[in-house]
C-alpha cells in the first residue's frame, strides 16, 4: 500500500512522455491515482491510447497523445493540446529512452545517434517545449536517467553518453529555471523487473541471476517503487529539492555493472 494519500495531486496535471509501458507507465498510473489529470505520450498511438484507457478504467483522468520525442514540432503540439484540455502542466516526466547492447566498434553511427536523440535530445525537446505550459512557480520536471550516466558500462557507450547528458541538462535547467519556481530533477532507476530495459540487458536466466547478485538488497526493483519516488518529487515534501539526481537502485550502482551485462 502506498505511503501517500491519493489526493496529493488533486487539481494538478501531468504530462508523461514515454508513458506507455514499464517505469513511465507506472509513474503515469501513480500520478493519476494521486488525483492528477494525466496525458500519456508515446510514439505508438494505439499503445498510448491503451495506457490512457487503463488509467481511466482504474478511476483516473487521462488522455493520450502520439509523437516521437525527436520531433520538436510534434512534441510541442502534444504539449499544447494537453494545456488546452487540462490546463497548465504541474508535472512533466521525460522518460522516453532507447537502448540495445552493442560494442562501440559494432555500432553504426545511426545506432549511436538514435539513442542520443531519443534520450538526450528528446528530454531537451520535452523540457524546452513544455516551459511555456508549465505552472510557474510550482512545476516539477522529472527526467528519467540511468546509472550509465555516471558509471561506465560495457556495450553501453551510447547510453552512457546520452544519460550523462540528461543529468547535466537536469542540473543546468535547475539553475536556469529556479528563479521561475520550476524544479528539475533526475531519477536513476536500477535494475527494474519486467521492463524492456532488463529484458534487453539480461535476456537469459543466467544473466538475470548475475544481475540480481550485483544488487546489495538482493532483488530487482519494481516499477511502482520508482513511481513512488516520482510522486514524492511532485509534492510539497520535495519543495526544496532541485538539480538532484536521485538514485533508486537497491545499491546496485555501488558495485558497478561488472561483467553481468556483457
Amino acid at each position: 500500500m502506498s505511503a501517500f494519500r491519493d489526493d496529493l495531486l488533486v487539481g494538478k496535471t501531468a504530462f508523461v512522455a514515454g508513458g506507455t509501458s514499464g517505469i513511465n507507465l507506472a509513474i503515469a498510473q501513480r500520478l493519476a491515482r494521486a488525483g492528477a489529470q494525466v496525458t500519456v505520450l508515446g510514439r505508438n498511438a494505439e499503445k498510448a491510447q491503451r495506457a490512457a484507457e487503463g488509467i481511466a478504467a482504474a478511476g483516473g483522468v487521462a488522455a493520450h497523445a502520439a509523437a516521437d520525442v525527436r520531433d520538436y514540432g510534434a512534441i510541442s503540439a502534444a504539449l499544447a493540446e494537453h494545456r488546452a484540455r487540462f490546463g497548465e502542466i504541474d508535472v512533466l516526466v521525460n522518460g522516453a529512452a532507447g537502448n540495445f547492447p552493442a560494442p562501440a566498434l559494432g555500432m553504426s553511427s545511426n545506432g549511436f545517434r538514435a539513442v542520443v536523440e531519443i534520450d538526450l535530445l528528446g528530454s531537451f525537446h520535452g523540457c524546452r517545449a513544455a516551459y511555456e505550459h508549465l505552472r510557474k512557480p510550482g512545476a516539477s520536471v522529472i527526467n528519467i536517467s540511468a546509472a550509465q550516466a555516471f558509471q561506465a558500462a560495457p556495450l553501453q557507450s551510447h547510453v552512457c553518453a546520452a544519460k550523462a547528458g540528461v543529468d547535466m541538462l537536469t542540473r543546468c535547467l535547475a539553475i536556469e529555471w529556479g528563479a521561475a519556481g520550476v524544479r528539475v530533477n533526475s531519477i536513476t532507476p536500477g535494475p527494474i523487473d519486467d521492463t524492456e530495459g532488463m529484458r534487453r540487458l539480461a535476456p537469459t536466466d543466467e544473466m538475470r541471476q548475475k544481475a540480481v547478485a550485483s544488487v546489495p538488497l538482493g532483488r530487482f526493483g519494481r516499477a511502482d517503487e520508482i513511481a513512488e519516488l516520482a510522486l514524492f518529487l511532485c509534492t510539497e515534501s520535495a519543495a526544496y529539492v532541485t538539480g538532484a539526481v536521485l538514485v533508486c537502485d537497491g545499491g546496485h550502482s555501488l558495485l558497478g555493472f561488472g561483467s553481468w551485462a556483457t
Side-chain angles (χ1 to χ4, degrees), residues 90-225:
D90 296 281
V91 180
L92 170 68
V93 179
N94 292 303
N99 193 357
F100 55 90
L105 292 178
M107 193 185 320
S108 69
S109 175
N110 285 341
F112 190 95
R113 182 171 61 246
V115 170
V116 172
E117 288 185 347
I118 294 170
D119 290 42
L120 177 53
L121 187 61
S123 295
F124 174 77
H125 282 172
C127 291
R128 179 65 181 86
Y131 185 80
E132 65 179 293
H133 305 296
L134 296 177
R135 189 178 305 279
K136 298 180 282 290
S140 173
V141 176
I142 301 171
N143 296 320
I144 304 301
S145 187
Q148 290 95 318
F150 53 83
Q151 191 169 65
L155 312 182
Q156 293 284 280
S157 61
H158 47 343
V159 179
C160 290
K163 291 302 189 182
V166 169
D167 282 355
M168 191 53 73
L169 175 66
T170 292
R171 295 183 179 104
C172 290
L173 295 185
I175 294 171
E176 293 186 13
W177 295 359
V182 175
R183 296 182 297 108
V184 187
N185 295 288
S186 289
I187 292 178
T188 301
I192 304 299
D193 209 2
D194 196 27
T195 60
E196 182 62 26
M198 282 311 300
R199 283 189 286 271
R200 292 188 179 214
L201 292 175
T204 67
D205 288 341
E206 181 182 2
M207 294 183 74
R208 282 178 57 86
Q209 291 171 8
K210 287 183 178 179
V212 169
S214 72
V215 181
L217 288 185
R219 66 174 177 85
F220 286 147
R222 303 189 310 272
D224 66 281
E225 292 174 315

